[in-house]
Amino acid sequence: MKIIIVGASGTIGKVVTEELSKRHEIIKASRSKGDVQVDIESPRSIEAMYKHAGKFDAMVSTTGLGHFGPLKTATDKEFRRGVDSKLMGQINLVLIGQHYINAKGSFTLTSGILGEDPVRLGANLSMANGGINSFVIAAAIELENNVRINVVSPGVVEDSPGNFQYFPGHIPVMMDNVVAAYVRSVEGALTGKIIKVF
Amino acid sequence: MKIIIVGASGTIGKVVTEELSKRHEIIKASRSKGDVQVDIESPRSIEAMYKHAGKFDAMVSTTGLGHFGPLKTATDKEFRRGVDSKLMGQINLVLIGQHYINAKGSFTLTSGILGEDPVRLGANLSMANGGINSFVIAAAIELENNVRINVVSPGVVEDSPGNFQYFPGHIPVMMDNVVAAYVRSVEGALTGKIIKVF
């Protein structure tokens, strides 16, 4: 398969890229590195990425930022970070990508445990994750030509020890299990699933 | 209690207003009617509404629009309707309202069945509903002074027969049950709950 990985240079993206590149042709997309550059906050940039990549069989997104900070002082502007990047950035990868993907292709997005199991400072990411999860189950029933869509929802990953302090009592999840979830989505036959890794 | 109802003139809002006004002081807020006008897409307008209303004990939001249309032709612009109105509009009612609400007060937002049980054309509303649900569970663990927050997630309501065609096989939910969910949130002691009415 020809697979576009958006966020290929990130903590999860680089390990997913390593695994999928064993069996597939990979196009690495990142904000500033990789085979093609993309700013997922810009629909125009996303369109340019797909035009550059040409027809493809799978798009895996392991990217998207959100605001991490206290609810007490949170503002519309801070919340727009998660809206514009992790939420609408990933949704636009699908809305635009559906016009370039091959029949029987797949989209795999990334949400996270905060969508259902919140931590302090995480409301913006909870919102983004919940929105992505619900978008995916809805998009799955409308995508045509047997195109599939799933979302991987990981817990805090063992490779991000800097985040552990914000997740008291959370058992870090093994990166092997996270990578397996993406493989299950891309190479399997599931659609409309929230694949939880926690 | 002194309760602000945003969307008081809507299908659900007017019935919730009728019920809560039996026991409480109600300030009706709507886009163009009511005791105070508010455009929930504008943080400045929300701030002005709260300044006008003064300290309060509960804010109930039964408002928020989204785009209803095919995924196949959906655009970033169309999806921003649900983002700016139903999702961020309701979230900003909380982010700003937390600075005006009395101790032990409550926020009650509205999502809907599409967050977990999608229909054709509804991906934008699914996204908004899922985002609101996850925001509420996250905000509940950070709100101070014993302020509570819940969200009512109704199915298609019996009072909206014009919507039935878009919800094949859905059993319309009774408005009495929907109103009861808002009463449970406002007058009860729950917090961080998605109160499903379907």
mmCIF file of all heavy atoms in Angstrom, chain B residues 42-59:
data_model
loop_
_atom_site.group_PDB
_atom_site.id
_atom_site.type_symbol
_atom_site.label_atom_id
_atom_site.label_comp_id
_atom_site.label_asym_id
_atom_site.label_seq_id
_atom_site.Cartn_x
_atom_site.Cartn_y
_atom_site.Cartn_z
ATOM 1 N N SER B 42 -19.887 34.764 19.882
ATOM 2 C CA SER B 42 -19.043 35.900 20.232
ATOM 3 C C SER B 42 -18.748 35.912 21.735
ATOM 4 O O SER B 42 -19.637 36.160 22.550
ATOM 5 C CB SER B 42 -19.747 37.203 19.853
ATOM 6 O OG SER B 42 -19.188 38.293 20.568
ATOM 7 N N PRO B 43 -17.485 35.642 22.126
ATOM 8 C CA PRO B 43 -17.137 35.706 23.552
ATOM 9 C C PRO B 43 -17.499 37.062 24.165
ATOM 10 O O PRO B 43 -17.898 37.139 25.325
ATOM 11 C CB PRO B 43 -15.620 35.467 23.557
ATOM 12 C CG PRO B 43 -15.368 34.655 22.321
ATOM 13 C CD PRO B 43 -16.345 35.158 21.302
ATOM 14 N N ARG B 44 -17.373 38.118 23.395
ATOM 15 C CA ARG B 44 -17.691 39.442 23.905
ATOM 16 C C ARG B 44 -19.183 39.557 24.230
ATOM 17 O O ARG B 44 -19.566 40.149 25.241
ATOM 18 C CB ARG B 44 -17.291 40.504 22.864
ATOM 19 C CG ARG B 44 -17.317 41.925 23.417
ATOM 20 C CD ARG B 44 -16.871 42.936 22.373
ATOM 21 N NE ARG B 44 -15.550 42.630 21.841
ATOM 22 C CZ ARG B 44 -14.917 43.395 20.935
ATOM 23 N NH1 ARG B 44 -15.496 44.489 20.463
ATOM 24 N NH2 ARG B 44 -13.724 43.053 20.502
ATOM 25 N N SER B 45 -20.010 38.985 23.372
ATOM 26 C CA SER B 45 -21.458 39.017 23.607
ATOM 27 C C SER B 45 -21.822 38.188 24.843
ATOM 28 O O SER B 45 -22.697 38.566 25.638
ATOM 29 C CB SER B 45 -22.194 38.488 22.366
ATOM 30 O OG SER B 45 -23.576 38.425 22.582
ATOM 31 N N ILE B 46 -21.132 37.057 25.018
ATOM 32 C CA ILE B 46 -21.373 36.213 26.201
ATOM 33 C C ILE B 46 -20.992 36.972 27.476
ATOM 34 O O ILE B 46 -21.735 36.976 28.457
ATOM 35 C CB ILE B 46 -20.564 34.892 26.087
ATOM 36 C CG1 ILE B 46 -21.149 34.021 24.972
ATOM 37 C CG2 ILE B 46 -20.566 34.145 27.423
ATOM 38 C CD1 ILE B 46 -20.309 32.783 24.651
ATOM 39 N N GLU B 47 -19.849 37.616 27.428
ATOM 40 C CA GLU B 47 -19.390 38.404 28.584
ATOM 41 C C GLU B 47 -20.429 39.483 28.920
ATOM 42 O O GLU B 47 -20.769 39.694 30.095
ATOM 43 C CB GLU B 47 -18.035 39.052 28.242
ATOM 44 C CG GLU B 47 -17.370 39.751 29.405
ATOM 45 C CD GLU B 47 -16.350 38.860 30.136
ATOM 46 O OE1 GLU B 47 -15.560 38.168 29.467
ATOM 47 O OE2 GLU B 47 -16.387 38.855 31.384
ATOM 48 N N ALA B 48 -20.939 40.147 27.911
ATOM 49 C CA ALA B 48 -21.939 41.200 28.122
ATOM 50 C C ALA B 48 -23.212 40.632 28.736
ATOM 51 O O ALA B 48 -23.836 41.249 29.607
ATOM 52 C CB ALA B 48 -22.247 41.898 26.797
ATOM 53 N N MET B 49 -23.599 39.428 28.295
ATOM 54 C CA MET B 49 -24.797 38.789 28.856
ATOM 55 C C MET B 49 -24.623 38.541 30.353
ATOM 56 O O MET B 49 -25.517 38.853 31.152
ATOM 57 C CB MET B 49 -25.075 37.458 28.151
ATOM 58 C CG MET B 49 -26.249 36.699 28.759
ATOM 59 S SD MET B 49 -26.361 34.986 28.180
ATOM 60 C CE MET B 49 -25.059 34.204 29.153
ATOM 61 N N TYR B 50 -23.485 37.986 30.732
ATOM 62 C CA TYR B 50 -23.260 37.683 32.152
ATOM 63 C C TYR B 50 -23.167 38.974 32.981
ATOM 64 O O TYR B 50 -23.641 39.029 34.108
ATOM 65 C CB TYR B 50 -21.988 36.844 32.326
ATOM 66 C CG TYR B 50 -22.178 35.375 31.990
ATOM 67 C CD1 TYR B 50 -21.379 34.745 31.039
ATOM 68 C CD2 TYR B 50 -23.152 34.609 32.643
ATOM 69 C CE1 TYR B 50 -21.536 33.392 30.740
ATOM 70 C CE2 TYR B 50 -23.313 33.256 32.347
ATOM 71 C CZ TYR B 50 -22.507 32.657 31.395
ATOM 72 O OH TYR B 50 -22.673 31.322 31.112
ATOM 73 N N LYS B 51 -22.536 39.989 32.418
ATOM 74 C CA LYS B 51 -22.448 41.272 33.133
ATOM 75 C C LYS B 51 -23.848 41.835 33.364
ATOM 76 O O LYS B 51 -24.163 42.350 34.429
ATOM 77 C CB LYS B 51 -21.609 42.270 32.314
ATOM 78 C CG LYS B 51 -20.112 42.070 32.444
ATOM 79 C CD LYS B 51 -19.374 43.406 32.316
ATOM 80 C CE LYS B 51 -17.932 43.283 32.772
ATOM 81 N NZ LYS B 51 -17.058 42.762 31.700
ATOM 82 N N HIS B 52 -24.686 41.716 32.344
ATOM 83 C CA HIS B 52 -26.057 42.221 32.441
ATOM 84 C C HIS B 52 -26.873 41.423 33.456
ATOM 85 O O HIS B 52 -27.654 41.974 34.248
ATOM 86 C CB HIS B 52 -26.723 42.164 31.064
ATOM 87 C CG HIS B 52 -28.156 42.614 31.050
ATOM 88 N ND1 HIS B 52 -29.214 41.758 31.293
ATOM 89 C CD2 HIS B 52 -28.702 43.836 30.845
ATOM 90 C CE1 HIS B 52 -30.349 42.432 31.220
ATOM 91 N NE2 HIS B 52 -30.072 43.695 30.946
ATOM 92 N N ALA B 53 -26.670 40.103 33.461
ATOM 93 C CA ALA B 53 -27.474 39.232 34.336
ATOM 94 C C ALA B 53 -27.027 39.320 35.797
ATOM 95 O O ALA B 53 -27.832 39.156 36.713
ATOM 96 C CB ALA B 53 -27.379 37.786 33.854
ATOM 97 N N GLY B 54 -25.760 39.573 36.019
ATOM 98 C CA GLY B 54 -25.235 39.584 37.390
ATOM 99 C C GLY B 54 -25.048 38.165 37.912
ATOM 100 O O GLY B 54 -25.233 37.185 37.181
ATOM 101 N N LYS B 55 -24.648 38.038 39.168
ATOM 102 C CA LYS B 55 -24.382 36.727 39.751
ATOM 103 C C LYS B 55 -25.611 35.824 39.613
ATOM 104 O O LYS B 55 -26.750 36.281 39.747
ATOM 105 C CB LYS B 55 -24.023 36.875 41.231
ATOM 106 C CG LYS B 55 -22.786 37.738 41.496
ATOM 107 C CD LYS B 55 -21.491 37.047 41.148
ATOM 108 C CE LYS B 55 -21.019 36.156 42.286
ATOM 109 N NZ LYS B 55 -19.689 35.540 41.962
ATOM 110 N N PHE B 56 -25.359 34.549 39.388
ATOM 111 C CA PHE B 56 -26.471 33.617 39.143
ATOM 112 C C PHE B 56 -26.117 32.247 39.718
ATOM 113 O O PHE B 56 -24.962 31.982 40.080
ATOM 114 C CB PHE B 56 -26.759 33.516 37.642
ATOM 115 C CG PHE B 56 -25.604 32.930 36.862
ATOM 116 C CD1 PHE B 56 -25.564 31.576 36.545
ATOM 117 C CD2 PHE B 56 -24.531 33.728 36.466
ATOM 118 C CE1 PHE B 56 -24.487 31.028 35.866
ATOM 119 C CE2 PHE B 56 -23.446 33.187 35.786
ATOM 120 C CZ PHE B 56 -23.429 31.840 35.483
ATOM 121 N N ASP B 57 -27.117 31.373 39.770
ATOM 122 C CA ASP B 57 -26.915 30.044 40.374
ATOM 123 C C ASP B 57 -26.834 28.911 39.348
ATOM 124 O O ASP B 57 -26.267 27.863 39.625
ATOM 125 C CB ASP B 57 -28.053 29.745 41.353
ATOM 126 C CG ASP B 57 -28.127 30.797 42.442
ATOM 127 O OD1 ASP B 57 -27.178 30.875 43.241
ATOM 128 O OD2 ASP B 57 -29.106 31.568 42.466
ATOM 129 N N ALA B 58 -27.450 29.112 38.199
ATOM 130 C CA ALA B 58 -27.391 28.057 37.173
ATOM 131 C C ALA B 58 -27.479 28.687 35.791
ATOM 132 O O ALA B 58 -28.204 29.669 35.587
ATOM 133 C CB ALA B 58 -28.519 27.052 37.364
ATOM 134 N N MET B 59 -26.718 28.129 34.868
ATOM 135 C CA MET B 59 -26.837 28.498 33.466
ATOM 136 C C MET B 59 -27.189 27.225 32.711
ATOM 137 O O MET B 59 -26.486 26.215 32.829
ATOM 138 C CB MET B 59 -25.524 29.088 32.934
ATOM 139 C CG MET B 59 -25.596 29.723 31.536
ATOM 140 S SD MET B 59 -25.765 28.585 30.129
ATOM 141 C CE MET B 59 -24.193 27.719 30.216
#
